[in-house]
């Protein structure tokens, strides 16, 4: 009897130990990759349907809603600082003009990146948006830390030399990679591969943009040529992307034309690539894509998407 109890307690102990080991074995980075198997709500430039894009107000709101990822684009200033900004020029969303990387951080910080929103969206205008300062990546990380995940696009790599090196340095400084806090996305395969050379653990998303070919508008092509068009894409093409990326981010419409379908999504998934679609703002479209089985949506209205998915 005693031997039986001893054996039982040993095996229970072993079982508890094994369970603890199994739990300990899932690192935060592995957990992040597992989470990509479920639907992800991605707040495109923050809650940019309700507040000026890429500002702290837009990120605060999206974070409050509990989105899975804050999406952001990064560019580099003339003095080598990383700022959160989409366009290559500053006139659309600030009171300045010219190329963003012709300016120092101090010069960019003097701009107002909020008032344009109030003027263009009087229904959502808020005096608090006036005078919003351009954000650095550091400031965003300091504000939200490991309390969210970040979906970071290396924007226009040819115009932003040194972007990847600066990005990986900031990610490492804030322990973002091993804590499963970031995805790095780009339309430029070369930029993604450079990130991997600097740190092979960074999970990457290959962005694609399908549009009609200029030579033959009945044929769809991919902007940078990273894959063939959706009608011609093969398992081998998806597998080539899966060699370095953990997912694919694609448009679904070009102007009024739908450019991908359910079979594209299924084929990508069967080749190990979850599919995230940009940028989907209407509830009806969100529902349609969820029915198609997409793995996540980029949206300016994460509140609408959360209502559908929670
Ligand atoms: O990053 C996904 C989507 O944001 C790509 O388009 O132009 O909004 O950066 P864009
Ligand atoms: Ca983007």
């Amino acid at each position: 009897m005693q031997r039986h109890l001893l054996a039982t307690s040993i095996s229970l102990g072993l079982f508890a130990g094994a369970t603890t080991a199994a739990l300990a074995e899932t690192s935060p980075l592995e957990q992040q990759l597992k989470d990509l198997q479920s639907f992800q709500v991605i707040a495109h430039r923050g809650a940019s349907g309700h507040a000026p894009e890429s500002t702290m107000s837009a990120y605060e709101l999206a974070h409050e809603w509990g989105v899975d990822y804050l999406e952001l684009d990064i560019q580099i200033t003339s003095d080598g600082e990383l700022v959160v900004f989409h366009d290559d020029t500053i006139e659309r969303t600030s009171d300045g003009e010219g190329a963003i990387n012709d300016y120092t951080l101090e010069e960019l910080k003097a701009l107002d990146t909020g008032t344009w929103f109030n003027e263009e969206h009087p229904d959502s205008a808020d005096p608090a948006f006036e005078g919003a300062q351009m954000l650095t990546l550091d400031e965003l990380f300091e504000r939200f830390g490991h309390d969210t995940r970040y979906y970071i696009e290396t924007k226009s790599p040819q115009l932003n030399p040194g972007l990847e090196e600066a990005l990986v340095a900031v990610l490492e400084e804030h322990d973002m990679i091993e804590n499963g806090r970031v995805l790095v996305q780009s339309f430029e395969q070369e930029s993604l591969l450079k990130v991997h050379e600097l740190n092979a653990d960074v999970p990457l998303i290959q962005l694609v943009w399908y549009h009609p070919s200029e030579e033959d508008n009945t044929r769809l092509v991919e902007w940078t040529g990273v894959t063939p068009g959706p009608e011609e894409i093969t398992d081998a093409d998806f597998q080539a992307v899966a060699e370095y990326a953990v997912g694919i981010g694609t448009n679904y419409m070009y102007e009024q034309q739908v450019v991908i379908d359910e079979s594209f999504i299924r084929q990508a998934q069967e080749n190990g690539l979850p599919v995230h679609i940009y940028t989907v703002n209407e509830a009806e479209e969100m529902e349609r894509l969820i029915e198609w089985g997409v793995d996540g949506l980029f949206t300016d209205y994460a509140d609408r998407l959360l209502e559908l998915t929670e």
Side-chain angles (χ1 to χ4, degrees):
M1 184 66 177
Q2 271 184 339
R3 281 175 58 156
H4 172 72
L5 279 175
L6 183 63
T8 306
S9 62
I10 287 171
S11 59
L12 279 173
L14 284 174
F15 177 72
T19 309
T20 311
L23 284 175
E25 273 167 23
T26 307
S27 70
L29 184 52
E30 287 164 341
Q31 187 59 50
Q32 179 190 19
L33 300 180
K34 275 190 190 172
D35 291 345
L36 287 178
Q37 303 305 314
S38 355
F39 188 85
Q40 303 293 295
V41 175
I42 307 156
H44 183 244
R45 309 181 202 167
S48 58
H50 296 273
E53 65 183 60
S54 312
T55 64
M56 195 58 100
S57 300
Y59 290 113
E60 288 283 4
L61 194 52
H63 181 254
E64 242 169 66
W65 292 336
V67 301
D68 296 301
Y69 281 91
L70 301 177
E71 195 267 352
L72 56 140
D73 309 281
I74 52 164
Q75 309 251 9
I76 199 158
T77 65
S78 65
D79 52 343
E81 300 292 334
L82 291 179
V83 283
V84 179
F85 202 76
H86 177 269
D87 294 4
D88 298 335
T89 57
I90 58 180
E91 43 270 17
R92 184 178 62 85
T93 59
S94 86
D95 54 350
E97 58 180 35
I100 185 162
N101 35 45
D102 282 347
Y103 291 94
T104 63
L105 179 60
E106 192 182 350
E107 288 166 335
L108 293 171
K109 279 282 185 189
L111 299 173
D112 172 353
T113 64
T115 297
W116 71 274
F117 180 88
N118 288 352
E119 289 166 359
E120 284 202 17
H121 305 279
D123 292 348
S124 310
D126 183 334
F129 298 153
E130 288 168 21
Q133 277 193 338
M134 201 177 290
L135 277 179
T136 64
L137 184 59
D138 247 327
E139 287 166 343
L140 193 68
F141 285 171
E142 274 160 22
R143 170 64 190 89
F144 300 109
H146 296 171
D147 200 30
T148 187
R149 285 183 172 137
Y150 308 87
Y151 207 128
I152 305 174
E153 181 176 349
T154 57
K155 190 54 96 184
S156 308
Q158 311 88 333
L159 299 176
N160 288 292
L163 186 69
E164 293 83 2
E165 288 82 354
L167 171 61
V168 172
V170 178
L171 295 180
E172 288 176 350
E173 197 182 310
H174 289 266
D175 302 324
M176 288 291 169
I177 304 160
E178 68 273 31
N179 281 298
R181 298 292 103 191
V182 284
L183 290 173
V184 172
Q185 48 164 340
S186 187
F187 287 101
E188 303 289 336
Q189 185 194 50
E190 204 180 308
S191 176
L192 294 176
L193 297 179
K194 200 181 279 180
V195 168
H196 253 191
E197 271 172 33
L198 295 161
N199 188 319
D201 291 334
V202 180
L204 304 173
I205 300 287
Q206 177 67 60
L207 294 178
V208 289
W209 182 56
Y210 296 116
H211 62 91
S213 153
E214 276 173 23
E215 292 78 43
D216 170 6
N217 67 8
T218 63
R219 220 178 122 243
L220 292 170
V221 290
E222 200 288 313
W223 181 28
T224 70
V226 71
T227 74
E231 294 122 337
E232 294 153 38
I233 200 162
T234 64
D235 286 348
D237 297 316
F238 281 120
Q239 279 164 28
V241 173
E243 288 282 316
Y244 58 91
V246 298
I248 198 159
T250 179
N251 60 322
Y252 127 86
M253 300 283 282
Y254 173 81
E255 295 179 352
Q256 300 310 310
Q257 182 184 351
V258 175
V259 293
I260 58 155
D261 58 13
E262 281 175 274
S263 73
F264 174 96
I265 293 162
R266 205 164 312 113
Q267 194 181 0
Q269 291 167 339
E270 283 166 4
N271 285 288
L273 293 168
V275 179
H276 298 159
I277 310 273
Y278 64 84
T279 301
V280 185
N281 289 335
E282 301 305 325
E284 207 173 287
E285 278 185 303
M286 291 172 179
E287 282 178 312
R288 179 182 186 183
L289 289 163
I290 291 167
E291 273 171 30
W292 282 11
V294 299
D295 302 283
L297 296 177
F298 294 83
T299 177
D300 301 338
Y301 294 89
D303 50 339
R304 293 180 190 165
L305 184 54
L306 286 165
E307 249 180 58
L308 295 174
T309 55
E310 279 183 348

